Amino acid sequence: MKRDYYEILSVTKTATGDEIKKAYRKVAMQYHPDRNPGDKEAEDKFKEAAEAYEVLSDGDKRAKYDRYGHQAFGPGMGGGNPFGGGGMDMNDIFSQFGDIFGGGGFSDFFGGGGGRASQGRGSKGSNLRVKIRLNFEEMAAGVTKNIKIKKYVTCSHCHGNGAKDASSIETCKTCHGSGQVRKVQSTFLGQMQTVVVCPTCQGQGSTITAKCGHCKGDGRVYDEETVSINIPAGVYEGLQLSMSGKGNAGLRGGPAGDLLIAIEEEAHKELHRDGINVGYDLFISFHEAVFGAQVEVPTIGGRAKIKIPAGTQSGKIFRLKGKGFPDINGYNKGDQLININVWTPQHLSSEEKDALESIKDSENFKPQPNKNEKSFFDKIKEVFS
């Protein structure tokens, strides 16, 4: 069972961003792998702290977590592990959060010259955006879509390192594998020492003596990949989902970007959507309104029969409970609202006109609204209450 993120960092729910950052720095220093070599428990706590900080340092993710807890990132919420699919990766943690320890990174902070920084990775790949058009049934029930995407993928020949073979990679002679060099500058305050990215290896910690002939040293090639996208139930037009690590592969083993999925709605022939509710305009004949009837109406994924009572007025709204869309951010489910329209004949034969003329003065044909009958505005309020 996952521990509470606030408990992991030993902060309160009202903690500021700076307090959370300071707390994470303290926990990460305590359980850093360089300080606890070979300690699996310390490594797990180090990853746990990184996951907690990744959520609590992001305003949107923190708000979701405060409201739903760990369920905010479950499959039903379009999430998963908030740090991305496939679990924690140490290099991702160093790459993403190393900046909060200052320019020197983790290993430099602890005084390590050729430690973890020597495992430097290339630059991160860019994000990709795709649009997926869904019908009402797919949006209501959820669906898995397999789509082909043209993008940069990791080179299968060199496995992303950009080298011809293992012997073609050597430790950088400038930074000796750290990926960083110290630079001394003279200022009016005296000499200032700073740590900058190694200009020779660009922070990689290693150099390539012979490039991979397939990717020309980039560690990636442009190709087509089939991606399986799990769309949760309750998505709606304009919603954007994200799949971590499914974007373009990074240069020379750098982490891949994300795949951003924009949801588009395919219009239904008969229904229309209003939030989690579904609306339908039902036209009935004058005869059906007077005598009542049983009619069939379309719903998401099927049809349903409803009873029209005798004397039903135009504007009456019937509700089919639970026939709408599920709420992607909760456990509620919308309804289907059926708006009754009594169809007024527009073309009559002479016989039909004579028949209506003969009863037009009948007392039963004069409007006699019931005092208990709700007004149009009351009906609207009831629908949205």
Side-chain angles (χ1 to χ4, degrees), residues 9-330:
L9 299 184
S10 298
V11 294
T12 65
K13 289 191 174 183
T14 58
T16 65
D18 287 340
E19 289 172 337
I20 289 173
K21 184 176 182 178
K22 183 178 179 181
Y24 170 56
R25 184 175 185 271
K26 180 179 179 181
V27 176
M29 286 172 59
Q30 180 180 354
Y31 296 111
H32 191 280
D34 286 352
R35 278 190 167 180
N36 304 272
D39 189 336
K40 184 65 169 61
E41 183 179 352
E43 182 178 324
D44 289 341
K45 288 184 177 180
F46 181 73
K47 291 180 179 180
E48 184 182 52
E51 181 178 318
Y53 178 71
E54 200 273 343
V55 171
L56 299 185
S57 63
D58 184 294
D60 291 337
K61 291 181 181 179
R62 183 177 180 181
K64 284 185 178 181
Y65 178 73
D66 287 344
R67 186 174 181 184
Y68 303 111
H70 292 296
Q71 291 182 347
F73 309 103
M77 306 293 283
N81 190 313
F83 208 92
M88 289 293 208
D89 183 278
M90 297 296 282
N91 284 322
D92 284 334
I93 297 174
F94 297 132
S95 173
Q96 189 165 348
F97 302 136
D99 63 307
I100 74 168
F101 288 81
F106 282 93
S107 291
D108 182 76
F109 182 85
F110 292 114
R116 196 165 299 277
S118 65
Q119 298 176 15
R121 307 177 74 187
S123 58
K124 183 176 181 178
S126 59
N127 294 338
L128 285 175
R129 297 176 185 272
V130 296
K131 294 179 180 179
I132 292 186
R133 195 170 183 82
L134 304 173
N135 60 37
F136 272 32
E137 289 77 10
E138 292 170 330
M139 297 174 95
V143 67
T144 297
K145 292 282 188 178
N146 295 315
I147 62 172
K148 291 182 178 180
I149 301 176
K150 290 282 189 180
K151 65 172 188 173
Y152 285 103
V153 299
T154 300
C155 176
S156 60
H157 290 67
C158 66
H159 305 291
N161 61 32
K164 181 180 178 181
D165 49 42
S167 62
S168 301
I169 302 175
E170 63 179 25
T171 302
C172 176
K173 293 181 173 61
T174 302
C175 65
H176 305 292
S178 69
Q180 301 162 339
V181 294
R182 298 184 183 276
K183 185 178 180 181
V184 178
Q185 291 178 308
S186 296
T187 69
F188 68 94
L189 295 175
Q191 288 191 326
M192 301 289 290
Q193 181 175 265
T194 58
V195 178
V196 298
V197 174
C198 175
T200 302
C201 66
Q202 302 301 315
Q204 295 290 304
S206 61
T207 56
I208 295 176
T209 57
K211 295 180 179 180
C212 170
H214 192 69
C215 65
K216 312 302 180 187
D218 285 346
R220 64 181 188 177
V221 294
Y222 197 67
D223 202 353
E224 184 176 78
E225 182 178 70
T226 299
V227 179
S228 183
I229 302 174
N230 294 318
I231 309 293
V235 295
Y236 48 85
E237 171 90 24
L239 179 67
Q240 180 172 278
L241 305 176
S242 176
M243 292 184 69
S244 179
K246 291 298 183 179
N248 281 315
L251 283 169
R252 288 192 60 192
D258 298 336
L259 178 63
L260 308 178
I261 305 109
I263 301 298
E264 291 186 340
E265 179 182 291
E266 181 180 307
H268 196 282
K269 292 180 180 179
E270 299 173 285
L271 306 175
H272 59 270
R273 182 172 184 172
D274 184 7
I276 61 174
N277 293 324
V278 176
Y280 176 66
D281 287 310
L282 174 62
F283 288 86
I284 62 174
S285 68
F286 179 70
H287 181 277
E288 290 173 320
V290 172
F291 295 104
Q294 189 174 51
V295 298
E296 198 174 67
V297 298
T299 64
I300 299 176
R303 302 186 72 82
K305 289 183 178 181
I306 65 169
K307 183 179 180 181
I308 306 295
T312 294
Q313 301 294 324
S314 193
K316 175 73 175 178
I317 295 177
F318 292 95
R319 184 189 297 265
L320 295 179
K321 294 287 291 182
K323 291 293 186 179
F325 291 93
D327 185 352
I328 193 172
N329 293 318

